[in-house]
């Protein structure tokens, strides 16, 4: 069974940083492209970033490019999202997700002064 467990969310001031993690199990993580998506209160899901199985190719939404960095450690079956220069509009529940649409329960990021 695919399991994805996100962590690292919290309350941070504008301009601050957070690092999200996603622990994966139940599938061959090292062979899977992975994604981060987010959902802000009252809004639909928004794709944030993707990384290929080897970590050599990354993609970012225009809204986060230059501020967020996706990475992975296949030896640890873990996906990361480093978030810098956070803005109030980054407030959302962040999910890691497989290309097949499996995702975890998410971790809440709140950017507020």
């Amino acid at each position: 069974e695919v399991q994805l467990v996100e962590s690292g969310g919290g309350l941070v001031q504008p301009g601050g940083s957070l690092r999200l993690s996603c622990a994966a199990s139940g599938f061959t993580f090292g062979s899977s492209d992975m994604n981060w998506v987010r959902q802000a209160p009252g809004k639909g899901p928004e794709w944030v970033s993707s990384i290929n199985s080897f970590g050599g190719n990354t993609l970012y939404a225009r809204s986060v490019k230059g501020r967020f960095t996706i990475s992975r450690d296949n030896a640890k079956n873990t996906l990361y999202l480093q978030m810098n220069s956070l803005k109030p509009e980054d407030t959302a529940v962040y999910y890691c997700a497989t290309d097949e649409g499996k995702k975890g329960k998410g971790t809440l990021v709140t950017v507020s002064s």
Side-chain angles (χ1 to χ4, degrees), residues 53-70:
S53 60
F54 295 103
N57 289 323
T58 58
L59 295 170
Y60 297 93
R62 185 175 299 180
S63 58
V64 306
K65 194 169 186 178
R67 300 187 297 122
F68 290 10
T69 303
I70 190 172

Side-chain angles (χ1 to χ4, degrees), residues 13-18 66-68 83-87 90 111:
Q13 292 187 342
S17 298
L18 283 174
R67 300 187 297 122
F68 290 10
M83 306 186 297
N84 298 329
S85 302
L86 283 161
K87 304 176 182 180
D90 294 319
V111 185

